[in-house]
Amino acid sequence: MSENHENEATERAEQAEQAGRPERSERGGQVEPAQARRLWHLLEPLHAVLYYAPEVFEEAAALGYSTEGRWGSYFPFRAAPLGPVSAEAVTSAFYSFQPGMVARYIEDAWKVAAPEAALAARLRGVDRLYRRLFGDLVDSSELAEAAALARRAAEATVTAGRPLAAANAALEWPREPHLQLWQAATVLREHRGDGHLAALLLAGLDPAEALVSFAAIGAASVERFESRGWTHEEWAAASERLTDRGLLDADGTATEAGRDLRRRVEQDTDRLALGPWQALGPESTERLAALLGDYWVTVLGSGLLPSESTLGIGRV
């Protein structure tokens, strides 16, 4: 990238940041929990496309990671902000993956490439991907404004007790607005995700139970959740534990108590995710939601993301 290109990108980001800052204080306004969930629905695809894009797989392969499936790059690319951590640490932070599955992909990950190399590769992949998907919109004032607003929200995150959010928030910000947008989406989704784990712990749901109970309310099919690596025996044991608690019926569907518990988990997650949006303010939050629509539609229309998500987007 030329120096002139860098300067132009920086100027666009600075102008958008000024444009995105409300003229009057929004202090005292309240963002509703439903808005936090709406912003997650809009931002999550902008982040998650990283794990499915051919450009990212090419960057991963160049480092030496397997690209036969998406997990060979998913684990090191998502974990890289944490540094050269152990499989046990990644299992803890990612929560719902079967520990043996994590170990298969993480134990040798940092021997293949250092975390710093993985971070650079994932950003190169996103740069190539966004330029292909968004075309001229990459250089638009609307994207720069969205990036500035999303960055303000991301920089307002309180990351105590949120390891993945903290690790991503500590990374240096890229210069170009479209990469700032992706990084902000990443910080915000990991902030929400870390809070979601706290809500699961409060509900007394261990990693396998979290998935079984989510499948039981129809968030995604049981077959889709098999991608997290749990064996049939482990899934059955978790189902039995939830049945004993009165949360599952014999056919594997949630009881009313089970649905209530999962509803509380999602409500707690929304509440714990509110901080960045309260800091941004209701008007700017609504403005960001409006700006993200075109990019959200483009990513969903690309066909890169699966039609069914283990996160339950569109169903919770």
Side-chain angles (χ1 to χ4, degrees), residues 97-114:
F97 287 92
Q98 202 273 348
M101 178 182 182
V102 179
R104 286 197 299 276
Y105 291 105
I106 286 293
E107 280 185 344
D108 295 326
W110 315 130
K111 298 175 185 176
V112 174

Side-chain angles (χ1 to χ4, degrees), residues 12-309:
R12 290 199 308 274
E14 291 173 349
Q15 291 167 1
E17 186 173 1
Q18 293 297 327
R21 188 174 292 122
E23 293 183 2
R24 63 179 177 82
S25 172
E26 295 183 18
R27 193 171 300 166
Q30 293 294 313
V31 177
E32 297 298 322
Q35 188 73 319
R37 193 179 305 192
R38 179 188 177 200
L39 265 296
W40 169 53
H41 285 182
L42 288 169
L43 286 166
E44 176 64 25
L46 299 185
H47 162 81
V49 73
L50 167 78
Y51 306 122
Y52 300 92
E55 292 87 347
V56 179
F57 291 149
E58 289 171 6
E59 296 290 346
L63 292 181
Y65 291 122
S66 170
T67 55
E68 290 183 6
R70 72 184 183 97
W71 300 119
S73 56
Y74 171 90
F75 282 98
F77 279 8
R78 188 179 174 209
L82 297 168
V85 293
S86 66
E88 290 78 9
V90 175
T91 299
S92 174
F94 287 15
Y95 198 73
S96 63
F97 287 92
Q98 202 273 348
M101 178 182 182
V102 179
R104 286 197 299 276
Y105 291 105
I106 286 293
E107 280 185 344
D108 295 326
W110 315 130
K111 298 175 185 176
V112 174
E116 294 79 8
L119 289 171
R122 76 176 192 176
L123 205 58
R124 288 194 302 271
V126 171
D127 182 34
R128 294 170 55 199
L129 169 65
Y130 272 23
R131 290 184 183 280
R132 173 171 66 85
L133 289 182
F134 301 147
D136 292 342
L137 291 177
V138 162
D139 297 318
S140 69
S141 59
E142 289 80 9
L143 186 144
E145 183 184 356
L149 290 170
R151 178 173 174 174
R152 281 174 52 198
E155 289 180 329
T157 57
V158 176
T159 58
R162 301 180 194 246
L164 283 168
N168 281 280
L171 299 176
E172 183 178 353
W173 284 93
R175 294 178 65 87
E176 296 201 297
H178 66 288
L179 296 180
Q180 291 189 18
L181 177 60
W182 180 81
Q183 185 155 314
T186 301
V187 172
L188 291 163
R189 71 92 66 175
E190 297 293 15
H191 175 270
R192 181 184 177 89
D194 288 336
H196 183 62
L197 302 192
L200 291 171
L201 289 170
L202 184 64
L205 296 171
D206 69 26
E209 293 166 358
L211 298 184
V212 173
S213 63
F214 212 28
I217 66 168
S221 64
V222 172
E223 291 75 20
R224 186 65 187 165
F225 284 111
E226 287 177 350
S227 66
R228 297 296 175 107
W230 300 96
T231 66
H232 291 297
E233 292 75 16
E234 290 168 329
W235 188 274
S239 298
E240 184 175 351
R241 294 194 297 273
L242 294 175
T243 301
D244 290 344
R245 290 174 60 183
L247 301 175
L248 255 64
D249 282 326
D251 63 358
T253 60
T255 62
E256 190 57 39
R259 291 188 176 277
D260 285 344
L261 184 66
R262 286 302 318 201
R263 191 177 301 115
R264 289 198 300 275
V265 166
E266 299 308 319
Q267 290 171 344
D268 286 344
T269 301
D270 290 340
R271 180 174 55 81
L272 291 170
L274 266 178
W277 308 116
Q278 295 287 29
L280 188 60
E283 294 177 11
S284 292
T285 298
E286 183 60 34
R287 174 61 178 163
L288 176 59
L291 287 166
L292 290 173
D294 287 344
Y295 308 104
W296 177 80
V297 168
T298 298
V299 171
L300 293 187
S302 71
L304 291 172
L305 297 176
S307 59
E308 186 180 43
S309 167

